[in-house]
Amino acid sequence: HRGWFQSSLLTSVGLENRAPYKQVLTHGFVVDGEGHKMSKSLGNVISPIDVMKKYGADILRLWISSVDFSGDVRVSEDILKQSADAYRKIRNTFKFMLGNLYDFDYEKERVAVADLDELDRWALSKVAALAEKVTTYFDQYDFHKAYQAIYQFCVVEMSSFYFDILKDRLYTFGKKSHERLSSQTVLSEILSILVRLVAPVLVFTANEAYQVMPEALRKVKNVLLSDWPKVSKEWQSQEVETKWDQLLPVREEVLRLLEESRKNKLIGNALEASISLASKDPQTQQFLEENASLLAVILIVSSVKVVSDKEEGLAEVEGSNLMAKVERAVGEKCERCWKFRPEVGQKQEHATLCDACTGVVSQLVPTE
C-alpha cells in the first residue's frame, strides 16, 4: 500500500505510537470488462458521473456492492446493464408489497404470529433469516454476499414463489378475510425489514419506498434515521421452513410439466389444469398426502389430487421421484378468480362465479 494510507500510518505511528484509524478496508483497481487498466489513451474509462446521469446513483452503488472488492473490480456497459436489471427486480419487490398494502391498517388488523397462515409463517421466517445474514455480512464488509442474499430473497423466494402464490388471496379473497389479513401482515413486516436492509446501498430507492409505506411502519422521517432491523425469535420456525422447502421442489417439477402441456396445446394457462400426483417412494407419497390441500395453492392450478402410483396415465417426472398426470380441469372458468369449477353456471344468481367468489361477492355492500 502507498499514498495516503502509508503516509498517514507512518506519521501517526511516529507521533502517536498508534495507527490513525481503527479499521481499514482496501480494494483492487477498477478495470474494464476485459480486465484492462483504464486509461484515456485506450478510451476505456467509465466516469461515475456519466453512469449516474444514465442510470442513477443507486445503480452505481448497487454495482459496486455486488462485486468482490478484494481483487480487481471490473466494470463495463454490459455489467452496468446487469446491475440495472437487478435493481429493477428489487424495486419491483417493493412495488408489489406497497401496492397490496393500500387498504391495510397495520395497527388494527395485523394478525398475531401464532395465528398466521402457514405460508406466511414461512415468509416471515425467511425474512428473519435474511436480516441476520445481511447484518453479519455488513459487519464483516462482505457487501457482495449481502447483495446476493437480498437479490436471491427478492427474486427467488419472494417474486417467483411467495408473491406468485399470494396473488389469488390478495386479489380474490374477502378484503377482511383471515388469509388476506395474514398475508398483508407479513408483507408489512417484510417491507419494514427489507427497506432498512437495502438502505445503506440503495439510499434513494429505500427512502422513496419508506415515504409511501403505511404510516404505522414509519417511526422517523427518513429511512436512514431509522434503527437497524432486529427480528423476534418468534418469527423463526425451522419446522415450517423445512416443510415448505420440501414443497418447493415439487412445485418446480410440476411447473416444468405444465409448461410442456402448454407447448402441446393441452392447456392455455396453469389454471386450466387439473393435476394428479403420486410417488413410488413411500415417504414422498406420505408427504404429498399430508399436504394435499396445499398443493393446488402452491401450484396455482384449479385442482390437485394425490393418487396411488398405480393410477393410469401417470408419467414419471424426470429428475424427481414424482409421478404426475396433467388433464384439463373439469367445469367452467370463474370470471373472477379464473379457476375452473364444476359449480360455475349451475346457479342462477352469480352464474359466472364459483362458490368461493360467490361468497365474497355476496358480502359486498352494493354501491349507489
Side-chain angles (χ1 to χ4, degrees), residues 161-218:
F161 181 65
Y162 183 57
F163 292 172
D164 200 28
I165 295 171
L166 237 52
K167 289 173 185 175
D168 183 47
R169 67 174 66 173
L170 290 172
Y171 302 161
T172 70
F173 281 40
K175 289 185 72 172
K176 302 305 175 185
S177 64
H178 174 79
E179 294 89 349
R180 190 168 186 269
L181 293 178
S182 172
S183 296
Q184 287 180 309
T185 298
V186 172
L187 287 178
S188 298
E189 302 293 5
I190 293 172
L191 178 61
S192 178
I193 294 291
L194 192 60
V195 77
R196 287 177 285 164
L197 291 180
V198 304
V201 178
L202 300 180
V203 181
F204 301 105
T205 302
N207 198 49
E208 183 185 353
Y210 186 81
Q211 297 305 323
V212 292
M213 276 168 50
E215 191 174 351
L217 300 175
R218 287 182 274 129

Side-chain angles (χ1 to χ4, degrees), residues 90 130 133 145-160:
I90 295 171
L130 176 73
K133 282 192 291 187
K145 291 182 180 178
Y147 159 81
Q148 289 165 0
I150 290 170
Y151 182 81
Q152 171 85 7
F153 177 80
C154 290
V155 175
V156 178
E157 295 174 340
M158 292 295 102
S159 297
S160 297

Side-chain angles (χ1 to χ4, degrees), residues 221-333:
K221 290 184 178 180
N222 188 298
V223 68
L224 298 176
L225 301 175
S226 60
D227 292 334
W228 189 250
K230 293 180 181 178
V231 296
S232 170
K233 288 294 182 185
E234 184 188 14
W235 286 17
Q236 293 180 294
S237 172
Q238 191 58 52
E239 181 182 352
V240 171
E241 281 198 47
T242 300
K243 174 181 173 178
W244 281 84
D245 287 348
Q246 283 182 271
L247 286 166
L248 271 166
V250 175
R251 172 181 158 89
E252 290 169 4
E253 299 297 342
V254 175
L255 288 182
R256 284 211 303 268
L257 203 62
L258 288 170
E259 185 58 34
E260 289 178 15
S261 299
R262 269 194 290 267
K263 289 178 180 177
N264 295 331
K265 310 296 184 184
L266 176 63
I267 58 172
N269 64 61
L271 286 173
E272 294 179 16
S274 174
I275 307 287
S276 297
L277 278 178
S279 177
K280 291 181 179 179
D281 175 58
Q283 285 186 321
T284 304
Q285 180 70 13
Q286 182 181 350
F287 179 76
L288 293 174
E289 291 171 356
E290 289 173 351
N291 296 285
S293 61
L294 295 173
L295 292 171
V297 175
I298 69 167
L299 295 175
I300 317 178
V301 295
S302 285
S303 65
V304 173
K305 296 178 291 183
V306 178
V307 297
S308 163
D309 64 336
K310 308 299 183 187
E311 176 97 0
E312 284 188 21
L314 290 173
E316 292 188 8
V317 180
E318 188 178 349
S320 74
N321 56 7
L322 294 175
M323 302 176 71
K325 176 169 63 174
V326 180
E327 299 174 290
R328 285 192 62 85
V330 176
E332 298 295 322
K333 180 182 179 180

Side-chain angles (χ1 to χ4, degrees), residues 26-60:
T26 62
H27 57 79
F29 286 105
V30 178
V31 297
D32 68 15
E34 303 299 322
H36 301 135
K37 182 179 177 181
M38 290 189 179
S39 69
K40 290 181 180 178
S41 61
L42 291 176
N44 62 349
V45 174
I46 294 179
S47 165
I49 298 297
D50 292 340
V51 174
M52 285 190 284
K53 286 179 179 177
K54 182 174 183 178
Y55 293 107
D58 274 3
I59 290 177
L60 182 66

